[in-house]
């Protein structure tokens, strides 16, 4: 069964203190791994898609990487505005569907 | 360009009633998916429609149904509401069933 587990559940950082969020997954055939950011009261905002092991994507202070079992979201020198819940999702199901299987998220708080 | 729009933003119902939630996708997107998000958890897949046909269904009871219209907008219907149906209902659209999904800000449904 396709499954996604994120750790830690919550993370508190000081402004400028770099860290990484982990997304472990099991899937019969990887068709895509997605990272989203979700602010309170809002829908998830798309950040990155990764399709194969070794792939990396960057956007401002965020960098996503992918291995055969895990994905990491690296946050370099975070700012308070990076505070949000970060969600990882697998593209699951058969090739005919676009079902996203989400982890429970990591809630990041960056203090000034 | 307008993003995914959902209506209403908030809704209060009582047990046993039914509800209809609406979603307009990003212009040009032919795939619409519905997710349920309970507080503190990641979104759970309910349905996906592509070109007006159901392409995936999650582990939800038959009280949940959906459809997609010729203009690619979509409705989610829930009958015989239960207290446990209280959640944020998210709609997402994508160009195709395997492409990144872009989410609206959801409908917050409260069941009394």
């Amino acid at each position: 069964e396709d499954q996604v587990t994120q750790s830690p559940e919550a993370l508190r950082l000081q402004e400028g203190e770099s860290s990484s969020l982990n997304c472990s997954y099991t899937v019969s055939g990887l068709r895509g791994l997605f990272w989203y950011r979700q602010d309170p009261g809002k829908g998830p905002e798309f950040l990155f898609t990764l399709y194969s092991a070794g792939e990396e994507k960057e956007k401002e202070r965020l960098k996503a990487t992918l291995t055969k079992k895990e994905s990491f979201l690296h946050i370099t020198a975070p700012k308070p505005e990076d505070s949000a819940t970060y969600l990882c999702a697998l593209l699951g199901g058969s090739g005919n569907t676009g079902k996203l299987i989400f982890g429970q998220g990591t809630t990041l708080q960056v203090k000034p | 360009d307008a993003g995914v729009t959902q209506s209403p933003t908030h809704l209060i119902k009582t047990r046993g009633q039914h509800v209809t939630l609406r979603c307009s996708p990003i212009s040009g997107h032919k795939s619409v998916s519905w997710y349920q998000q309970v507080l503190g958890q990641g979104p759970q897949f309910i349905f996906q429609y592509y070109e007006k046909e159901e392409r995936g269904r999650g582990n939800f009871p038959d009280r949940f149904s959906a459809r997609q219209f010729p203009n690619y907008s979509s409705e989610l219907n829930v009958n015989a509401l239960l207290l446990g149906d209280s959640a944020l209902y998210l709609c997402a659209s994508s160009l195709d069933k395997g492409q990144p999904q872009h989410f609206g800000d959801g409908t917050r449904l409260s069941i009394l």
Side-chain angles (χ1 to χ4, degrees), chain A residues 36 38 43 96-98 100 103, chain B residues 35 37 48 55 97 101 104-105:
Chain A
Y36 288 86
Q38 187 172 27
N96 203 32
T97 67
L100 288 179
Chain B
Y35 293 82
Q37 187 175 26
Q48 184 182 56
R55 289 300 179 93
K97 45 195 177 296
Q101 297 181 19
D105 285 336

Side-chain angles (χ1 to χ4, degrees), chain B residues 20-88:
Chain B
T20 298
L21 310 181
R22 295 177 174 82
C23 171
S24 293
I26 293 171
S27 178
H29 285 193
K30 297 182 178 180
S31 178
V32 170
S33 300
W34 287 95
Y35 293 82
Q36 180 195 66
Q37 187 175 26
V38 175
L39 194 63
Q41 297 183 17
Q44 278 205 303
F45 174 76
I46 309 176
F47 286 109
Q48 184 182 56
Y49 279 78
Y50 178 73
E51 287 281 16
K52 301 178 288 296
E53 291 188 6
E54 182 181 306
R55 289 300 179 93
R57 184 184 185 110
N59 188 25
F60 281 81
D62 292 343
R63 301 184 294 107
F64 289 76
S65 63
R67 55 180 176 169
Q68 186 177 32
F69 299 99
N71 65 354
Y72 301 108
S73 67
S74 179
E75 283 183 354
L76 175 70
N77 294 283
V78 187
N79 294 324
L81 288 166
L82 303 173
L83 292 178
D85 295 331
S86 295
L88 179 67

